[in-house]
Every structure is written in C-alpha cells, then in structure tokens.
Amino acid sequence: MMGSRATTAWMVGALLYAGAVQAQSSAPAAPPKLPPGVSAALWKLSVPPGAEPTPEKVALGEKLFLDPRLSADNTVSCSTCHEPAQGFVDGKALSTGIKGQQVTRNSPTVLNALFNASQFWDGRAGTLEDQAKLPILNPREMGMPSPEAVVTKVQAIPEYATAFKAVFGRDVNYDDLAAAIAAFERTQFSGNARFDAFITGDSKALNASEKRGWALFNGKARCNSCHAANIVSPLFSDQKFHNIGIAAHKQDFVQLARKAVGVVRLGDEKQIDELALQTEFSELGRFLVTKKENDIGTFKTPTLRNVGITGPYMHDGSLTTLWDVMDHYNKGGVPNPYLDGGMQRLGLTEPEIDDMVAFLFSLTDARYAKFNGQELARQQKRKGTRPERDTAVALGKKGNLGDLAPNPDLAVKNPAAVGVYGAETSVPGAAK
C-alpha cells in the first residue's frame, strides 16, 4: 500500500511530460502515461480543456486536500473521509465531520472520480470542481459558513497566499481553490488491476475461481446490467441511478417518499433541500436533485474498480462485506414501489457467491495489492455473519421474483472473450 505522497509522486511524474508540452504550446495537453485499464480516449473525454492537471496545480491541490485548516474548527480535511492510503475512503459506514457529527452518506472513493459523469451518490455536482466546493460548506462535514469565509481564511495563511500567486497569478479565490483540488483528484486514476492483465491477454492473471466469477458477472449474476465495462468506459458503472431497495430495508420507505412528494408538490423546493440534510430524507437519493417521483430512492451506480478496498458498501454503508452485497442482490433487493425493474432473484449458490467475490477482488489496482489481500482476509472472517442472506428467496423456494439468467459455459468459450470488451472507439484529437 502506497502513502499519499508516494502516490502523488507517481502520478505527478506521469504528468510532467504533459505539463511541459502544455507550457511550450497552445495545443491541448497530451494524456500522461496511462495504465492498461484507462485509454487515452477516455482520459481525453474526461478532462475538460484548460483543466488539465499541471504538476504545480496538482501539488497545491494535494496540500489543500490534506489540510484540515479548510474546515471551520481545523479538524477535518478532504482526506479525513477520502484517505489516500485506504483507497480514498475512510472505511466507515457513514463519515464523521466537524464536532463529531455523522454525515448522511458513505464516502465514495476519489479513485477514477475524474471519469464520473456526475459526482456524489445523487449526482448533484457535474464536475470535480463543483464537488470540491460543497463539503467545505456542508455544516455536517467541514462546516465553513461561506465561500468568502474560506477565501479569507486561506488567504491569511502565508504559504497559500504565495502558492496561489505562483500557480494562478492572483490572490486566493474559491474557484481556483476548487480547481487545484480537482487537479489533484484528476491524477488519481486507476486501471492496473489483475483483471486488466487478464482481459489484455494474460490468461494466468486470474485464477479459476475468479474466471468463473467473471462468467457469472456476465451471466447468472446479471451484474453487467448496471456494471458493464469496455475499454472506453472501464469503470464497471453505467453512470445511471437505480433504486435497488437499500433505503427500504430499515424504515417505512413508502411513508417517507409520500411525505417528500407532498412537500415538492407544494412547491417548497427550499424545504426539501433543507430536509435533505436530515438522515431520513437523504435516503431519497436522486429525487432530492431532480424532484421527479421516478427518482425516489435511486442512487448512482458506483464503480467496481477497487471495490475490494473501498467498503463498507452502498450509499449508507449498510453492507459490510462483498458477501453481504451479493446476498442483497441474490434475493432481488428489498421490495418497494420504486424498485428498479431490473431487480430479480439471482439464484446463486454459495460456491457461486464465493466466485463472484473472488472476481470482484481482482479489480483492485496493483498499488493496493497488499491492502486488497488484507481486506479479503478480513471480509472472509465475517462470512458467518450474513444479515442480508435469504437463500429461500434467492433459490425460488418462496416468493416470485423472476427467472434466472443463463451462464456462459467456460468449457466451450474463452473466458476472456466473455462480456462487453470491444475495441476502443476513435476520438478525434485523442493521443494514442
């Protein structure tokens, strides 16, 4: 497991060439050296012109990312909830902000966040810059009262006053602060997992259990319905929003939804925004952004890259291990009136669930290999505690949650050819 400074040094080294090219020419910066799971076309599509991370901006952004002085009481930094050594998560079900306040969502990883179509579990921010601004002002997270207060505080720190002048050529402002943090986050791409070696031709990169898991992923387990991947979109996420029933397993979700819909129909969107800060209404997910009833209880499909080291899982961190996640899907989720139509029982047996979990742990980047092994061992010890397990429903012995999907036969099909992993789409101007 690499420390944050070492991680940044690795990424900054990769970016030096791109930064030098940009300084000498008005032409768009070339992508840095990329791992096999991240194509140049994808990088080009994901980095807005003018937002290419330069070494100087990245160094300033990393300093800000790690600095608790950006919070109201100097106790919480971005890295408090997104610890680089832990895969840019905090390992908690729900994160903790200033004054010990618990926030309402599980912290998603920053790894590969630059490729997300939207940020946050409910997609309320469209860019990394917009995302970086909001936790600083959230009263439960970093608690600063306003952008102006942040700027005044940072400008008064001599090292930052000097650094902003050097990087941006002007005094501190909130947009530049967010741009620097976003630049650092754009260096945190990840695509060097054993799966990448397997899919690019090394048949020995995955063991037999992991290969069976990959076949299940594309067959009986139906994971590729929302987590499909290809060379241009290798995040294992459709970037869409789904209600899979997580919010309905611990409260009267229907009553909560009706109350929220009633508030919106009265036209009081300000009230619903304020309610969103409360734990119970946070469970309404994307609905809080769009105010559309079809979005009630929907949350963004997260990336599966590095999923082995970024638990606990789901928007509320309520599923402790990947065995718990598979149990949840195996029984078809938790029924509620807004459940995604694609949810149905899977009928996976215990050996098949083990194969699925083994495959998911193969998606972790090589630089976290040691941590990944530790997390796999930790989760295996909890296999005897499975609160979401309902084998009778999963196997169709009770309930009526649909037929099972077929499974590819690895005896007659090359497992590396299973799934949607076609050729890279050509993007004009993208460096190869």
Side-chain angles (χ1 to χ4, degrees):
M1 181 168 54
M2 299 173 67
S4 61
R5 294 287 177 183
T7 303
T8 299
W10 179 76
M11 292 296 183
V12 169
L15 289 163
L16 281 172
Y17 173 73
V21 170
Q22 187 179 31
Q24 296 169 14
S25 170
S26 59
K33 183 178 180 181
L34 297 166
V38 179
S39 74
L42 174 63
W43 194 92
K44 194 75 178 178
L45 288 168
S46 304
V47 179
E52 295 88 347
T54 64
E56 297 79 10
K57 197 186 295 184
V58 170
L60 174 59
E62 181 185 23
K63 186 176 179 64
L64 292 163
F65 188 89
L66 300 173
D67 197 338
R69 291 177 293 182
L70 266 63
S71 67
D73 62 0
N74 302 328
T75 62
V76 175
S77 68
C78 302
S79 63
T80 300
C81 302
H82 304 283
E83 167 56 51
Q86 289 185 255
F88 286 87
V89 298
D90 58 10
K92 300 177 181 177
L94 300 175
S95 298
T96 304
I98 62 168
K99 301 176 182 177
Q101 296 180 93
Q102 197 171 58
V103 306
T104 57
R105 305 265 171 86
N106 174 261
S107 65
T109 181
V110 171
L111 291 170
N112 290 328
L114 77 157
F115 302 127
N116 289 339
S118 61
Q119 306 295 333
F120 293 111
W121 279 100
D122 55 18
R124 66 183 183 277
T127 66
L128 287 175
E129 284 80 358
D130 289 343
Q131 187 281 328
K133 293 176 179 177
L134 296 181
I136 299 173
L137 304 178
N138 187 306
R140 288 193 176 196
E141 297 183 53
M142 299 169 77
M144 290 297 288
S146 67
E148 293 75 19
V150 178
V151 169
T152 299
K153 186 175 184 180
V154 174
Q155 181 68 37
I157 301 172
E159 65 203 71
Y160 281 127
T162 301
F164 273 80
K165 279 280 189 183
V167 174
F168 295 102
R170 52 189 176 238
D171 290 340
V172 179
N173 68 61
Y174 205 45
D175 288 339
D176 288 345
L177 183 145
I181 293 174
F184 167 66
E185 293 177 333
R186 286 195 175 95
T187 65
Q188 304 308 319
F189 45 77
S190 165
N192 187 25
R194 286 190 293 111
F195 170 78
D196 296 300
F198 169 71
I199 208 70
T200 52
D202 181 0
S203 63
K204 297 180 179 179
L206 299 189
N207 62 35
S209 176
E210 292 161 344
K211 289 176 183 176
R212 290 194 298 269
W214 174 233
L216 289 162
F217 184 94
N218 292 286
K220 186 177 177 181
R222 298 165 48 86
C223 307
N224 66 354
S225 296
C226 299
H227 291 283
N230 58 53
I231 197 167
V232 173
S233 181
L235 295 186
F236 293 83
S237 168
D238 62 3
Q239 307 269 351
K240 297 178 181 177
F241 301 84
H242 303 276
N243 179 327
I244 61 170
I246 290 293
H249 72 174
K250 57 190 176 186
Q251 61 193 313
D252 188 338
F253 186 69
V254 175
Q255 183 183 35
L256 180 69
R258 286 174 177 165
K259 185 176 180 181
V261 170
V263 172
V264 169
R265 285 176 178 169
L266 290 174
D268 194 347
E269 296 200 357
K270 183 175 182 297
Q271 183 184 357
I272 201 69
D273 289 339
E274 292 171 350
L275 289 172
L277 293 175
Q278 300 179 25
T279 300
E280 59 172 350
F281 281 91
S282 177
E283 299 298 290
L284 297 173
R286 182 69 172 165
F287 170 79
L288 298 171
V289 178
T290 67
K291 312 299 188 293
K292 295 179 179 177
E293 195 166 345
N294 285 344
D295 286 325
I296 286 178
T298 68
F299 291 87
K300 186 171 65 179
T301 306
T303 178
L304 295 185
R305 291 217 170 247
N306 304 297
V307 69
I309 61 169
T310 52
Y313 305 104
M314 305 301 176
H315 72 275
D316 59 358
S318 60
L319 303 187
T320 304
T321 72
L322 287 174
W323 275 273
D324 296 332
V325 173
M326 292 312 305
D327 284 342
H328 172 81
Y329 284 111
N330 205 25
K331 64 183 179 184
V334 179
N336 70 86
Y338 308 96
L339 188 68
D340 190 283
M343 295 293 291
Q344 66 178 64
R345 72 181 179 92
L346 303 178
L348 298 173
T349 64
E350 280 301 297
E352 288 173 332
I353 289 177
D354 289 343
D355 288 341
M356 272 302 313
V357 173
F359 166 70
L360 293 171
F361 271 94
S362 78
L363 297 175
T364 301
D365 194 277
R367 59 188 160 127
Y368 290 106
K370 182 179 179 181
F371 186 29
N372 194 51
Q374 293 169 346
E375 281 298 290
L376 175 58
R378 185 184 67 81
Q379 293 195 19
Q380 281 176 322
K381 289 181 179 178
R382 291 182 57 93
K383 275 187 62 177
T385 304
R386 305 270 290 274
E388 296 297 319
R389 188 178 183 181
D390 194 334
T391 304
V393 172
L395 298 182
K397 295 180 180 178
K398 69 176 184 180
N400 183 20
L401 293 177
D403 296 328
L404 304 183
N407 214 39
D409 185 353
L410 297 185
V412 298
K413 191 176 182 68
N414 178 357
V418 172
V420 185
Y421 238 92
E424 180 176 341
T425 300
S426 176
V427 176
K432 302 294 184 184

